[in-house]
């Protein structure tokens, strides 16, 4: 389970390095460095999509000057590993459901019927 954010563009699986936000009142699209947290009204973009973004006629695109920094994967992978270990060690997790009793042919509200041919 990796917590690296992916590009919001459909079909793109590259890691996000920039965040796109819209200022509707100013007819402006702003492409800046990747935000620290994912916001509901912003879009994460990979470097290719961040550099190729165009805006509708009459809109202005404001871009971050300089290169976009790739996210540090080592911290994200270490955090994901720590969370997985923490989850596995929790004592308040619900017990797994009991195995169904197949000897009686019943599984909850369903019944297993024998094959009519044999």
């Amino acid at each position: 389970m990796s917590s690296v954010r992916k590009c919001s563009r459909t079909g793109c699986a590259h890691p996000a390095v920039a965040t796109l936000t819209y200022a509707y009142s100013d007819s402006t699209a702003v492409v800046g460095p990747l935000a620290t947290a994912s916001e509901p009204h912003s879009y994460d973009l990979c470097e290719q999509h961040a550099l190729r973004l165009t805006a509708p006629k009459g809109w202005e695109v404001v871009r971050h000057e300089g290169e976009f920094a790739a996210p540090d994967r080592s911290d994200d992978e270490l955090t994901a590993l720590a969370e997985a270990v923490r989850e596995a060690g929790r004592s308040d997790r619900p017990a797994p459901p009991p195995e169904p009793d197949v000897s009686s042919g019943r599984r909850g509200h369903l019944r297993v019927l024998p094959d009519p041919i044999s």
Side-chain angles (χ1 to χ4, degrees), residues 6 8 15 19 21 31 35 40-41 43 47 51 67 73 81 86 94 112:
K6 302 287 183 193
S8 297
T19 298
T21 54
V31 180
H41 298 290
Y43 303 91
E47 186 170 17
L51 295 174
E67 295 184 15
R73 294 186 58 110
L81 178 61
R86 193 176 307 122
V112 178

Side-chain angles (χ1 to χ4, degrees), residues 6-8 12 14-18 44-51 68:
K6 302 287 183 193
C7 182
S8 297
C12 184
H14 292 101
V17 296
D44 295 335
L45 299 175
C46 65
E47 186 170 17
Q48 178 183 6
H49 287 123
L51 295 174
F68 294 108

Side-chain angles (χ1 to χ4, degrees), residues 3-36:
S3 60
V4 174
R5 293 179 358 222
K6 302 287 183 193
C7 182
S8 297
R9 294 291 301 261
T10 303
C12 184
H14 292 101
V17 296
T19 298
L20 166 66
T21 54
Y22 291 105
Y24 293 100
S25 61
D26 299 330
S27 299
T28 304
V30 180
V31 180
L34 186 63
T36 55

Side-chain angles (χ1 to χ4, degrees), residues 27-103:
S27 299
T28 304
V30 180
V31 180
L34 186 63
T36 55
S38 182
E39 297 290 329
H41 298 290
S42 63
Y43 303 91
D44 295 335
L45 299 175
C46 65
E47 186 170 17
Q48 178 183 6
H49 287 123
L51 295 174
R52 293 179 44 204
L53 179 86
T54 59
K57 191 174 190 175
W59 280 61
E60 181 182 2
V61 177
V62 176
R63 291 188 206 285
H64 166 71
E65 291 186 16
E67 295 184 15
F68 294 108
D72 185 12
R73 294 186 58 110
S74 62
D75 288 344
D76 292 334
E77 290 173 356
L78 183 60
T79 302
L81 178 61
E83 288 174 4
V85 169
R86 193 176 307 122
E87 180 69 23
R90 282 182 43 202
S91 62
D92 62 338
R93 287 191 341 209
E99 292 292 321
D101 182 15
V102 291
S103 62

